[in-house]
């Protein structure tokens, strides 16, 4: 059974094919194949979502399937039914699961105990649908309309600023390895990449650079990226994090320290005036809304690939 729980679940060659498929599905929106025809995919969400929920619901529908949204309070998992039993029961009804939750072990357990494909729609550890979309969005710019999307990523540098010990930073560490990119993380002492991601990177042979100096992180970067300082579940730490992470705010000045043609990205939602200024969000080289739109096309390619469709 094929799942998509981490950036490394597809090989480089498969990601190259997946990006080509995403570009085709984007161009042929409204008249492409419907590989999920007759299928129902359940979406179990334990955290809030705008982009992920809407893009998956629309995407499953456009691939011919039926999305079934289940907040954790709608199902017995919210009252303590085990992950293992939930996985086995849902496997009797639906054809796949899209899951947004806290512990990454919950998505791996759903995948292990069920008998249907599971897609990670964000955990505290990783957000792989977002990172594939980010790489695709950058590649659209770097490869142009007819160029090789995946090949255009090779050797490019991404700088990630702010909270360097949570899901988006972790996903860039794994994603950059798959895409052939380099990654430099700039964040405050005490928020360095965790032992868990360091171990995972070491096992893969994935290189990354961490520095407490934001200018060092962005020097030579092709892509500057940030995320909220207090993620979902960390709201109680907002004030302390804001104070520690302010030197890593992506301002016009810090953005200008990257390459002159660097792109700016943010997974959104953004807190303007905190991790990024409004001027950078609105900058001509900010591609945040292309990035949001592409969640639809790339996730459709992920689902279609799991269903056996190729570019
Ligand atoms: N970027 C992202 O995953 O957004 P949502 O939390 O709105 O889904
Ligand atoms: N790091 C953020 C990402 C939201 C898309 C969070 O987990 O809340």
């Amino acid at each position: 059974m094929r799942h998509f729980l981490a950036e490394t679940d597809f090989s480089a060659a498969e990601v190259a094919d997946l990006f080509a498929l995403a570009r085709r599905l984007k161009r042929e929106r409204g008249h492409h194949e419907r590989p999920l025809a007759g299928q129902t995919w359940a979406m179990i969400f334990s955290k809030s979502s705008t982009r992920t929920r809407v893009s998956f619901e629309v995407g499953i529908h456009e691939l011919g399937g039926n999305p079934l949204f289940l907040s954790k309070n709608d199902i017995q998992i919210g009252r303590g039914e085990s992950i293992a039993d939930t996985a086995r029961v849902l496997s009797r009804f639906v054809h796949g699961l899209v899951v947004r939750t806290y512990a990454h072990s919950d998505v791996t357990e759903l995948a292990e105990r069920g008998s249907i494909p599971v897609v990670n729609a964000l955990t505290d550890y990783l957000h792989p649908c977002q990172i594939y979309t980010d790489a695709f969005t950058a590649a659209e710019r770097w490869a142009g309309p007819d160029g090789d999307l995946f090949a255009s990523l090779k050797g490019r540098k991404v700088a990630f600023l702010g909270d360097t010990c949570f899901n988006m930073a972790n996903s860039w560490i794994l994603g950059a390895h798959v895409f052939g990119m380099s990654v430099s993380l700039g964040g405050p002492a005490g928020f360095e990449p965790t032992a868990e991601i360091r171990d995972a990177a070491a096992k893969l042979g994935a290189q990354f650079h961490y520095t407490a100096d934001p200018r060092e992180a962005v020097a030579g970067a092709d892509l500057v990226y940030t995320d909220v300082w207090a993620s979902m579940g960390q709201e109680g730490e907002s004030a302390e994090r804001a104070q520690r992470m302010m030197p890593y705010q992506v301002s016009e000045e810090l953005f200008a320290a990257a390459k002159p043609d660097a792109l700016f990205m943010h997974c959104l939602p953004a807190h303007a005036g905190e991790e990024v200024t409004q001027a950078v969000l609105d900058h001509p080289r900010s591609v945040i809304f292309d990035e949001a739109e592409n969640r639809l096309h790339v996730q459709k390619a992920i689902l279609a690939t799991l269903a056996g469709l190729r570019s």
Side-chain angles (χ1 to χ4, degrees):
M1 181 55 56
R2 200 81 202 265
H3 305 286
F4 183 59
L5 308 183
E7 290 72 10
T8 46
D9 285 347
F10 290 116
S11 67
E14 287 173 321
V15 180
D17 198 59
L18 193 150
F19 284 2
L21 178 59
R23 176 155 68 184
R24 179 168 73 75
L25 293 175
K26 184 172 181 176
R27 286 177 179 160
E28 296 176 4
R29 189 175 180 198
H31 51 90
H32 52 60
E33 305 93 323
R34 292 158 65 85
L36 303 188
Q39 298 192 6
T40 295
W41 279 62
M43 299 171 51
I44 304 175
F45 276 49
S46 300
K47 293 180 176 180
S48 303
S49 174
T50 298
R51 280 145 289 270
T52 309
R53 175 183 175 170
V54 175
S55 55
F56 266 111
E57 287 207 34
V58 171
I60 291 166
H61 172 74
E62 290 185 2
L63 293 173
N66 174 44
L68 175 64
F69 184 81
L70 303 166
S71 87
K72 77 169 189 302
N73 297 324
D74 293 327
I75 55 175
Q76 297 287 12
I77 219 166
R79 294 181 57 250
E81 185 168 16
S82 73
I83 303 263
D85 285 358
T86 303
R88 285 182 286 190
V89 170
L90 291 179
S91 294
R92 305 285 181 111
F93 296 132
V94 301
H95 301 84
L97 297 178
V98 176
V99 184
R100 168 167 284 202
T101 191
Y102 293 84
H104 192 72
S105 57
D106 287 357
V107 294
T108 54
E109 191 178 351
L110 279 165
E112 280 160 15
R113 303 306 293 266
S115 53
I116 52 177
V118 177
V119 174
N120 177 3
L122 179 145
T123 65
D124 288 350
Y125 182 52
L126 296 174
H127 195 5
C129 292
Q130 181 72 55
I131 288 300
Y132 272 33
T133 302
D134 299 336
F136 175 83
T137 305
E140 282 186 314
R141 300 288 176 123
W142 293 335
D146 303 314
D148 183 329
L149 292 165
F150 190 80
S152 76
L153 299 171
K154 194 162 182 58
R156 299 277 187 168
K157 173 179 172 177
V158 57
F160 182 93
L161 279 305
D163 182 2
T164 44
C165 68
F166 208 61
N167 46 21
M168 294 310 307
N170 293 346
S171 274
W172 265 118
I173 290 171
L174 299 189
H177 176 67
V178 175
F179 308 139
M181 297 172 69
S182 67
V183 57
S184 189
L185 304 141
F191 292 87
E192 298 95 344
T194 60
E196 185 180 19
I197 193 69
R198 284 178 186 277
D199 288 351
K203 279 194 189 113
L204 288 165
Q207 308 280 325
F208 67 91
H209 173 245
Y210 163 80
T211 173
D213 177 352
R215 287 189 154 262
E216 182 187 330
V218 301
D222 298 284
L223 173 60
V224 176
Y225 201 106
T226 192
D227 181 21
V228 290
W229 290 336
S231 285
M232 291 182 275
Q234 299 172 333
E235 290 80 0
E237 302 168 22
S238 297
E240 188 210 332
R241 285 168 165 268
Q243 199 227 331
R244 300 287 307 284
M245 296 183 191
M246 199 60 190
Y248 304 88
Q249 181 190 65
V250 183
S251 60
E252 285 172 289
E253 191 197 353
L254 186 58
F255 187 38
K259 280 191 180 161
D261 58 352
L263 301 174
F264 171 74
M265 285 193 189
H266 190 309
C267 52
L268 304 180
H271 292 177
E274 295 185 20
E275 73 274 6
V276 57
T277 62
Q278 189 65 51
V280 172
L281 287 166
D282 294 337
H283 194 281
R285 283 183 277 113
S286 164
V287 293
I288 56 175
F289 296 110
D290 289 343
E291 198 186 345
E293 180 199 324
N294 282 335
R295 295 292 302 280
L296 172 68
H297 311 300
V298 172
Q299 287 160 195
K300 282 168 69 178
I302 291 167
L303 295 170
T305 299
L306 292 175
L309 189 68
R310 294 290 172 265
S311 61

